[in-house]
Amino acid sequence: MRKLIKLDSVDSTNTYLLNYTPGEGEGQTVAVAEEQTAGRGQGTNQWESERGKNLLFSVLIHPAGVAPVRQFCLSMAAALALKDTLDALTGGISLKWPNDIYWHDRKLCGILIETRLKGNTIADCVFGIGLNVNQQRFRSDAPNPVSLCQVLGRELQRDELLRQILRNLDNRLSQIYNGNDDALRKDYHHALYRLGETHNYLLPDGQTIRATLTGVAPDGHLQLSVQTPAGAVGRSFAFKEIAFEIAKN
């Protein structure tokens, strides 16, 4: 059973659900807000959103039987659910590792995933999603934001969009529960932003490397073929060990 909680203003829908106690029989809880006063992105990043214009929501699930080693499958399921929804509206949608949804070279959506373990399984998983829907101006220093309204030239009904996303999320999660991880990985791999392309990447020490994106490992590490004086070398990077170099629009 799914419970929908509508909030006017909250610091973060993820924080709200991480402190929430589900009722009996509540298999999935969705918290959606008109405004977040401290919306969180990856790490220390903040999420800019004009009040009442976008979709700001989190989904709490209890993925019984999903081992921590399969945690990245949950990330893939969320990203693909967004792509499934957005593909019905426009072309040019791709998945930028690890958790962003892009329209061409512009960021349309971000996902923050937080999990809690109990024994050898994932007890709780919260998907925090910020999707730019009807916002037409962005004032932060984010390099490349875009909204669906800007892409399509019209405003969209946020409630219907949320229903479609949740429906597609259920479909993608069912692949995990049915042990169909390979199909999930195949779809995620094919949807990767800059797959097979050669670009510059930034290391934490400020060094720039030239590399070709070849895929993502089952554990979620980004796989690159790095150009060196001795030839191409395959390397694997965890989150925060590598960053895409993307020009500001």
Side-chain angles (χ1 to χ4, degrees):
M1 184 179 71
R2 175 186 293 138
K3 180 177 180 179
L4 178 64
I5 301 171
K6 291 192 174 184
L7 305 167
D8 181 63
S9 181
V10 69
D11 55 353
S12 158
T13 53
N14 260 38
T15 301
Y16 179 90
L17 286 184
L18 287 170
N19 293 303
Y20 173 81
T21 301
E24 185 176 352
E26 195 172 309
Q28 187 181 106
T29 313
V30 181
V32 57
E34 291 295 301
E35 174 187 57
Q36 287 187 129
T37 58
R40 294 183 288 135
Q42 295 288 350
T44 60
N45 296 338
Q46 298 292 309
W47 183 262
E48 177 197 359
S49 181
E50 185 178 345
R51 177 182 173 83
K53 291 292 185 180
N54 303 316
L55 267 180
L56 308 172
F57 68 101
S58 295
V59 183
L60 169 63
I61 64 169
H62 316 284
V66 178
V69 71
R70 298 172 69 205
Q71 181 170 319
F72 194 68
C73 287
L74 295 169
S75 179
M76 291 190 293
L80 284 167
L82 267 298
K83 179 171 166 49
D84 293 340
T85 305
L86 297 172
D87 280 345
L89 298 172
T90 182
I93 302 296
S94 61
L95 309 180
K96 177 179 167 288
W97 179 88
N99 290 317
D100 289 337
I101 314 298
Y102 266 43
W103 175 74
H104 298 290
D105 287 318
R106 303 186 69 179
K107 184 173 178 177
L108 190 58
C109 176
I111 307 172
L112 175 64
I113 300 175
E114 299 180 89
T115 58
R116 289 188 294 219
L117 305 181
K118 184 176 182 180
N120 295 321
T121 64
I122 298 172
D124 303 304
C125 176
V126 176
F127 304 102
I129 296 170
L131 174 61
N132 297 328
V133 181
N134 292 326
Q135 187 163 336
Q136 298 193 38
R137 293 184 64 190
F138 293 88
R139 296 175 173 82
S140 75
D141 59 357
N144 57 345
V146 70
S147 70
L148 284 172
C149 180
Q150 291 174 323
V151 171
L152 301 174
R154 60 181 174 87
E155 292 197 351
L156 288 89
Q157 293 293 324
R158 290 179 296 149
D159 287 347
E160 176 57 28
L161 196 57
L162 176 61
R163 282 193 289 269
Q164 292 172 4
I165 293 168
L166 294 176
R167 188 179 307 118
N168 286 324
L169 179 60
D170 287 344
N171 292 337
R172 288 298 182 173
L173 288 173
S174 70
Q175 290 183 287
I176 298 175
Y177 301 147
N178 293 329
N180 202 3
D181 296 4
D182 287 345
L184 198 69
R185 290 193 185 99
K186 181 179 179 181
D187 289 347
Y188 181 84
H189 184 270
H190 287 164
L192 277 172
Y193 175 68
R194 289 184 173 177
L195 178 66
E197 298 179 13
T198 302
H199 294 274
N200 288 340
Y201 292 82
L202 303 174
L203 300 177
D205 62 3
Q207 179 185 356
T208 298
I209 61 172
R210 190 79 172 164
T212 304
L213 196 158
T214 58
V216 174
D219 63 1
H221 283 60
L222 186 69
Q223 296 174 317
L224 298 177
S225 177
V226 181
Q227 297 180 3
T228 73
V233 177
R235 292 185 60 185
S236 183
F237 296 88
F239 177 60
K240 290 297 186 183
E241 291 181 348
I242 195 77
F244 289 72
E245 185 176 273
I246 297 174
K248 185 172 182 177
N249 289 306

